[in-house]
Amino acid sequence: TTQYLEEADVLADRVGIIDHGRIVAEGTPEVLKAAKKMNKVGSYGSIAPVFLVANVGATFRWYQSKLGFGGDPFPSTEPYVFAILFRDQIEIMLQRLENYQKPDEYDHRAGGVWNAYIRTSGVKDLYEAVKNEVTIIQPLRQQPYGAWEFEVRDPNGYVLVFSEIRE
């Protein structure tokens, strides 16, 4: 054992960092030093999926009318090349790629292939509000891990999972 990362760098192939009896980081000395350096620079706040679509305007309008998203398309008139959709704390970005058709990958793994997993509150009410307006892939159901989920396919083939952990 040592208190000094520089000493561990010389003596060990793998290092574990323990804080109050709990392992809080482990890896090679190079990985831990890089992580330490990066933790001093900025911070991460969120992540947003980016969907390639052939028609940003049509997709933008679908998310507005069916799921209640607002947004900012660019440029200010169609044909748009980009849009940021937002609702509450969720953002989805759209990028135009002319003639793009997303491959259908849903059946390539048991349980489906998802493109965005959206944590919500009031998932049962949301499901009731949208179930006759959108393409439902999986209806609202409780998963073995406790979450209530349903799956929607957007007009481009992207699969959105809406989920809520209910106690």
Side-chain angles (χ1 to χ4, degrees):
T1 62
T2 183
Q3 301 289 320
Y4 305 103
L5 190 54
E6 295 78 16
E7 184 178 8
D9 193 11
V10 174
L11 298 174
D13 294 331
R14 292 193 56 77
V15 176
I17 298 176
I18 299 172
D19 183 23
H20 293 90
R22 192 172 69 94
I23 296 175
V24 295
E26 65 179 300
T28 66
E30 293 80 21
V31 168
L32 292 177
K33 286 188 288 186
K36 180 180 177 186
K37 179 180 174 183
M38 289 307 299
N39 284 338
K40 293 180 181 178
V41 181
S43 65
Y44 299 129
S46 66
I47 189 169
V50 180
F51 296 165
L52 289 174
V53 299
N55 188 328
V56 172
T59 304
F60 177 75
R61 288 185 290 279
W62 185 88
Y63 276 84
Q64 281 184 311
S65 67
K66 304 298 184 186
L67 298 177
F69 278 78
D72 290 321
F74 180 84
S76 59
T77 59
E78 292 197 53
Y80 304 128
V81 296
F82 177 80
I84 300 173
L85 305 170
F86 49 82
R87 178 176 170 178
D88 303 318
Q89 304 303 311
I90 303 302
E91 287 185 8
I92 298 172
M93 297 189 184
L94 307 175
Q95 289 181 331
R96 181 173 170 251
L97 183 58
E98 196 167 334
N99 300 317
Y100 181 74
Q101 290 189 328
K102 182 187 170 305
D104 186 358
E105 303 164 324
Y106 188 81
D107 292 327
H108 289 186
R109 68 175 283 279
V113 173
W114 307 333
N115 301 108
Y117 190 88
I118 302 171
R119 292 183 175 94
T120 67
S121 60
V123 73
K124 289 183 177 183
D125 291 337
L126 178 60
Y127 178 74
E128 290 300 319
V130 303
K131 70 180 183 183
N132 296 320
E133 301 293 321
V134 299
T135 302
I136 300 290
I137 299 173
Q138 292 291 332
L140 182 66
R141 69 222 181 275
Q142 187 171 24
Q143 297 290 4
Y145 42 86
W148 283 86
E149 297 176 352
F150 69 95
E151 300 174 14
V152 170
R153 184 180 312 270
D154 86 355
N156 300 284
Y158 291 100
V159 177
L160 312 172
V161 179
F162 294 90
S163 171
E164 180 179 19
I165 300 293
R166 297 181 54 126
E167 311 259 342

